Amino acid sequence: MKFTYSNPTVIHFGQGMISAIAKAIDPAKKVLVIYGGGSIKSNGVYDQVAAALSGHKWMEFSGVEPNPTVETLDQAVALIRKEGLDYILAVGGGSVIDGSKYVAAAACYEGDGWDILLGKHRVKQALPLGAVLTLPATGSESNGGAVITRKSTREKLFFSSNAVFPRFAVLDPDVIKSLPERQVANGLVDAFVHVCEQYLTYPVQGWVQDGFAETLLRNLVNLALQFKQRDNDVWRANFMWTANQALNGLIGAGVPQDWATHMIGHEITAAYGIDHARTLAIVLPSLLRNQLENKKVKLAQMGRAVFDLAPDVGLAQRTVDAIENLFRSLGVPVRLSEAGVSGPEAPELIAAGIEKHGMAKLGEKSAITPAVVRDIVAAAA
Amino acid sequence: MKFTYSNPTVIHFGQGMISAIAKAIDPAKKVLVIYGGGSIKSNGVYDQVAAALSGHKWMEFSGVEPNPTVETLDQAVALIRKEGLDYILAVGGGSVIDGSKYVAAAACYEGDGWDILLGKHRVKQALPLGAVLTLPATGSESNGGAVITRKSTREKLFFSSNAVFPRFAVLDPDVIKSLPERQVANGLVDAFVHVCEQYLTYPVQGWVQDGFAETLLRNLVNLALQFKQRDNDVWRANFMWTANQALNGLIGAGVPQDWATHMIGHEITAAYGIDHARTLAIVLPSLLRNQLENKKVKLAQMGRAVFDLAPDVGLAQRTVDAIENLFRSLGVPVRLSEAGVSGPEAPELIAAGIEKHGMAKLGEKSAITPAVVRDIVAAAA
């Protein structure tokens, strides 16, 4: 086991903690508050942010979409340059925070921002960034990764850099109160799949990583079981902290990781506009069945530790069924057809996208070629 | 649940990672390497450190004791001032790293360094500090706490500050190969009690914190079960990473904490010179029996989740017995008499020390007064 790990983001967790941003941002900084639609104006978050920033000079940029696009984000970059702003406060879910990471990096780069996604420009410098999380799901509030879409070419790509780790993140569980059910369900699925990407590979005797991952998975199963009774502080706090820990680098340090489900899911979102989490719920069970032989030991371990399944014949397969049933129980589609995509072209289209974006061998054993992607997508029809 | 948490220390984990310090320390820095006795010279760690620092100006300061004393450490502070050194590399276990934190803070303070321990000086500034861990146990390599002893007055006190968080920590599991059995056993006990201090209180529905803590406790139980067969990479790596996670702030964020066992243990070490971990093994079972009513719900949860005990009558009590048996299985004394302390004066002496140092009400419910301390120590005779 060998790794280098750190996570410098300061977490301010708890009810009322949005006020902490007053002290978290140097008062000399000129802040750009970036957000999405208007939901933060109706749920009180905008007002709390504005109150906390009353001692700062600040401007705002709204309209960042789910699956944030460079077309939109480059307007924020232009605003930063025009106004001489030097700190970004992302107020939103994963899309807004991911988008703000792109803005923070692109503002310090002279060339075309899309170079960052293509890997032509490696990000070493970015504007400092803070985050107020409004939707637990992606873990973006305390990691260095971001997924950005180019609308004009229907591409959805990933970049990461230590330079775009948020300096701080506010996690106030009360923000969940006003979320639509669909977004909460999506967030649970997203966090669950994040853990699976770092856990459902092959065993390497990482006892801390496995035990922490199983804790998070069990938490998410319990949260799903209580989904209908979720209107309480305990549910909200445990969802928010679990989703954060699912993708802050800790459980993945020193162990093999997969991420093929995400890469395939990104292509599906880019092609068909399906919600990110829903693409994961569609791909993961199909991928696990396709890769059962490579993953059966960890699947069996998960079945016992997370779903309390009996250690009988077919345990790995039954674990996949349990995962699929978990997603179904949240009302999330687990087939392309259930998400409104029909017709025979999807497998070829998605496999071609994977190939075009240079992902010839995905998965922890590099076993998932574009041909395998085609099979996985076909089986998820 | 409400908390602010961060852990900025960069962890370099794995065999051969001592070489990472070459890049981790700015080559313009003049480094003081602080270590203890000569063990790092015989086990190869010193040579690896020297090789990694070949591009730096550096000096060394050795002779930091177990239970490091201000009397010794103030000599390192004087050397730093005389030579104009501006970076500290601690190479050792908890004592050396704790001592180096004191040196880093005292070097930036004009007054008497002991003021830091008395709380008269709050540490806001310190020299930057890195750590090469040679004994997994205290977690000091990635937290902001330190315990320092004043020999002249037989006092052992604690301070903490964000300013003394190590910038990086090298965790190379191979260093365990050369450790005496007694130190390894002590390390297991120390890590186990660190988790207990943050977990064995009362339930607050912190699912992440509880699950992570139970993972670490189960790991330590498994490591103890394999203690005789510990000469392998898997055992060493899991011990090292588990002990680190046991006290880096994560499992204690947002949940009640106790720490009375540590405070009482510090007094016992100051008075009788018993190894830190051994004082914990002596105090914890007695304290848990004394506080059984306050802690019974979490003790029962631990019994089921960590020791696989049946949920029958007396589960909390049986969990305490299991903890005591775990310590015994490692050859660690669990009574003062087994550690060579006899005679009737210990309870009064330790209670008086607790009172003198301003700890009138210890424990998560402030239920442990000096009178209760006396009972706990008496019952551990």
Side-chain angles (χ1 to χ4, degrees), chain B residues 32 48 228:
Chain B
L32 181 62
Q48 292 179 68
K228 297 252 181 283

Side-chain angles (χ1 to χ4, degrees), chain A residues 95 110 114 209 225 258 331 341 366:
Chain A
S95 296
E110 296 287 312
W114 192 246
Q209 296 90 329
L225 284 171
D258 184 340
V341 173
S366 300

Side-chain angles (χ1 to χ4, degrees), chain A residues 37-343:
Chain A
S39 65
I40 66 165
K41 293 217 169 158
S42 53
N43 65 13
V45 170
Y46 181 92
D47 291 338
Q48 291 179 67
V49 169
L53 287 178
S54 62
H56 290 75
K57 285 188 183 162
W58 63 282
M59 300 182 67
E60 60 184 75
F61 180 89
S62 66
V64 177
E65 318 88 328
N67 307 308
T69 66
V70 279
E71 286 86 351
T72 298
L73 299 168
D74 281 338
Q75 297 171 35
V77 175
L79 180 63
I80 283 170
R81 288 182 177 147
K82 183 180 161 215
E83 301 288 344
L85 306 173
D86 55 4
Y87 201 103
I88 294 170
L89 181 63
V91 182
S95 296
V96 168
I97 301 172
D98 280 14
S100 296
K101 290 175 181 174
Y102 168 86
V103 173
C108 296
Y109 174 60
E110 296 287 312
D112 178 7
W114 192 246
D115 290 351
I116 295 167
L117 281 301
L118 295 176
K120 287 185 190 169
H121 170 61
R122 288 193 57 187
V123 177
K124 301 267 180 189
Q125 204 194 339
L127 292 184
L129 175 82
V132 176
L133 183 65
T134 63
L135 170 57
T138 71
S140 184
E141 68 276 12
S142 63
N143 67 39
V147 180
I148 305 295
T149 294
R150 187 158 68 172
K151 207 172 168 182
S152 62
T153 53
R154 285 190 161 198
E155 290 174 291
K156 185 174 179 181
L157 296 175
F158 171 81
F159 84 98
S160 77
S161 166
N162 283 340
V164 296
F165 258 83
R167 304 295 174 96
F168 69 87
V170 175
L171 279 66
D172 179 343
D174 276 355
V175 301
I176 298 171
K177 287 181 182 174
S178 58
L179 287 176
E181 177 165 316
R182 178 181 177 131
Q183 289 196 15
V184 181
N186 281 354
L188 280 170
V189 170
D190 199 14
F192 193 91
V193 180
H194 288 158
V195 182
C196 291
E197 298 275 28
Q198 301 166 83
Y199 170 82
L200 280 179
T201 57
Y202 52 88
V204 295
Q205 301 258 28
W207 302 356
V208 173
Q209 296 90 329
D210 279 3
F212 283 11
E214 288 160 4
T215 292
L216 300 176
L217 292 170
R218 274 196 308 271
N219 288 358
L220 291 162
V221 168
N222 286 334
L223 291 162
L225 284 171
Q226 300 176 11
F227 192 64
K228 295 254 181 281
Q229 301 83 41
R230 69 184 178 279
D231 186 15
N232 63 79
D233 291 340
V234 168
W235 195 96
R236 286 187 286 265
N238 281 302
F239 176 31
M240 201 161 212
W241 194 221
T242 296
N244 174 274
Q245 293 292 309
L247 193 50
N248 72 347
L250 180 60
I251 62 168
V255 299
Q257 303 191 21
D258 184 340
W259 295 105
T261 295
H262 269 71
M263 296 306 113
I264 300 169
H266 292 169
E267 296 296 332
I268 294 175
T269 297
Y272 300 108
I274 299 172
D275 295 359
H276 171 61
R278 291 170 173 231
T279 68
L280 305 179
I282 290 164
V283 175
L284 183 67
S286 180
L287 182 142
L288 293 175
R289 290 186 179 112
N290 183 284
Q291 295 291 306
L292 202 72
E293 199 54 35
N294 283 333
K295 293 176 182 288
K296 66 182 177 189
V297 178
K298 288 303 281 286
L299 276 167
Q301 182 179 331
M302 179 172 169
R304 289 190 302 272
V306 176
F307 291 109
D308 293 320
L309 298 179
D312 302 331
V313 177
L315 177 53
Q317 179 58 58
R318 283 183 287 122
T319 303
V320 181
D321 295 343
I323 293 169
E324 192 170 81
N325 289 336
L326 178 78
F327 297 158
R328 278 192 199 282
S329 77
L330 292 165
V332 172
V334 294
R335 293 290 182 277
L336 277 169
S337 54
E338 296 169 14
V341 173
S342 54

Side-chain angles (χ1 to χ4, degrees), chain A residues 1-17 173 204-209 211-216 218-219 222-223 226 234-235 237-238 241-242 245 250-251 253, chain B residues 1-17 173 204-209 211-216 218-219 222-223 226 234-235 237-238 241-242 245 250-251 253:
Chain A
M1 194 160 31
K2 206 165 190 170
F3 59 87
T4 290
Y5 169 73
S6 70
N7 193 319
T9 304
V10 179
I11 304 286
H12 299 288
F13 188 100
Q15 293 168 316
M17 290 297 262
V204 295
Q205 301 258 28
W207 302 356
V208 173
Q209 296 90 329
F212 283 11
E214 288 160 4
T215 292
L216 300 176
R218 274 196 308 271
N219 288 358
N222 286 334
L223 291 162
Q226 300 176 11
V234 168
W235 195 96
N238 281 302
W241 194 221
T242 296
Q245 293 292 309
L250 180 60
I251 62 168
Chain B
M1 192 158 36
K2 206 165 189 171
F3 60 87
T4 290
Y5 169 74
S6 70
N7 193 318
T9 303
V10 178
I11 304 287
H12 299 288
F13 188 102
Q15 293 169 317
M17 291 296 263
V204 295
Q205 302 258 28
W207 301 356
V208 174
Q209 296 91 329
F212 284 10
E214 288 160 5
T215 292
L216 301 176
R218 276 196 307 271
N219 288 357
N222 286 334
L223 291 162
Q226 300 176 12
V234 168
W235 196 95
N238 281 301
W241 195 220
T242 296
Q245 292 292 309
L250 180 60
I251 62 168

